[in-house]
Amino acid sequence: DQQVKQNSPSLSVQEGRISILNCDYTNSMFDYFLWYKKYPAEGPTFLISISSIKDKNEDGRFTVFLNKSAKHLSLHIVPSQPGDSAVYFCAAKEYGNKLVFGAGTILRVKS
Amino acid sequence: EAQVTQNPRYLITVTGKKLTVTCSQNMNHEYMSWYRQDPGLGLRQIYYSMNVEVTDKGDVPEGYKVSRKEKRNFPLILESPSPNQTSLYFCASSFGGAKNIQYFGAGTRLSVL
């Protein structure tokens, strides 16, 4: 049973518009949530994180929102750029060091 | 340059022929981990290591072995590969800690015929 779910396999947005990537989780014991970005033929790279005690974290064009009551988080990219086209993985950290990953969402930003 | 290096990047082999995928990091990280990525399943942890000589199973350890004799190296061993181990493999390392931000290698695409 997947504890971290990304229900949208892909998303297509126009350059300059907002991209919203969603993630749901089931384990209320997760203490940190992270987003990773992956380009073809490369490994995932860390993008942004949020603690379970926060509801928002912002870094430049990227903002992550956490709704603990709904067990839902989202990544907003504003404005979207063609270079943002990649696979985005949501990950959640359990107590200790283990990361649990979602299946990923392919983002395509059209110019 | 800080990096995690995996070799080989691509490997085609046959069922039952033992193979090793090497992983090395130059960041002095204690924590290292192996994942496999499969369509629709994301990244699943195979094995991890908290430090030298300390390893433990992840979510999908069957058919794999690891060792951690030195801090920088964490090889993944498939003693008798099978076609269901055809996948994209990633090694990762980190200092651990609250967020456990992991740094990933570029991946090894393995095909077992």
Side-chain angles (χ1 to χ4, degrees):
Chain A
D1 185 34
Q2 287 188 302
Q3 297 186 74
V4 177
K5 294 183 181 178
Q6 294 177 255
N7 292 317
S8 298
S10 65
L11 174 68
S12 185
V13 299
Q14 199 66 35
E15 180 180 5
R17 307 295 288 266
I18 185 171
S19 296
I20 300 176
L21 296 97
N22 295 303
C23 180
D24 297 296
Y25 62 96
T26 58
N27 187 345
S28 57
M29 299 304 291
F30 289 140
D31 60 358
Y32 260 94
F33 301 90
L34 303 89
W35 285 93
Y36 279 80
K37 176 177 170 180
K38 183 186 176 306
Y39 292 120
E42 295 182 12
T45 56
F46 170 72
L47 187 59
I48 191 169
S49 66
I50 187 167
S51 164
S52 61
I53 62 172
K54 305 277 190 182
D55 55 19
K56 178 183 175 181
N57 187 28
E58 196 171 349
D59 184 1
R61 296 186 297 113
F62 302 91
T63 303
V64 57
F65 296 92
L66 175 62
N67 182 335
K68 281 191 72 175
S69 60
K71 293 191 174 68
H72 176 83
L73 64 153
S74 60
L75 174 67
H76 293 212
I77 307 173
V78 183
S80 301
Q81 299 173 353
D84 296 328
S85 297
V87 180
Y88 289 79
F89 289 102
C90 173
K93 193 180 81 66
E94 294 181 339
Y95 177 78
N97 288 310
K98 182 177 179 179
L99 290 184
V100 180
F101 286 83
T105 297
I106 301 170
L107 173 65
R108 296 187 186 90
V109 180
K110 298 176 289 186
S111 55
Chain B
E1 181 190 353
Q3 58 186 4
V4 178
T5 304
Q6 293 179 230
N7 280 298
R9 292 291 312 277
Y10 302 92
L11 181 58
I12 300 174
T13 189
V14 295
T15 300
K17 186 175 181 182
K18 181 179 179 179
L19 67 92
T20 299
V21 184
T22 64
C23 174
S24 181
Q25 51 94 3
N26 62 0
M27 295 170 278
N28 203 34
H29 287 161
E30 283 84 21
Y31 185 91
M32 296 187 74
S33 185
W34 275 102
Y35 296 88
R36 59 179 289 174
Q37 182 190 353
D38 300 292
L41 297 175
L43 293 155
R44 293 180 294 167
Q45 191 180 56
I46 302 170
Y47 267 95
Y48 65 96
S49 170
M50 301 287 281
N51 215 323
V52 175
E53 302 291 0
V54 181
T55 63
D56 208 347
K57 296 177 181 178
D59 296 317
V60 287
E62 293 77 22
Y64 304 95
K65 282 178 58 176
V66 294
S67 68
R68 187 93 182 270
K69 293 183 169 50
E70 305 164 284
K71 197 172 188 178
R72 63 183 291 124
N73 295 323
F74 191 44
L76 179 69
I77 303 155
L78 285 72
E79 299 227 327
S80 184
S82 62
N84 65 12
Q85 293 178 299
T86 292
S87 188
L88 179 57
Y89 291 86
F90 290 101
C91 179
S93 72
S94 74
F95 282 118
K99 300 179 189 178
N100 193 24
I101 296 172
Q102 297 187 21
Y103 298 84
F104 285 81
T108 296
R109 185 164 292 281
L110 172 65
S111 293
V112 183
L113 305 177

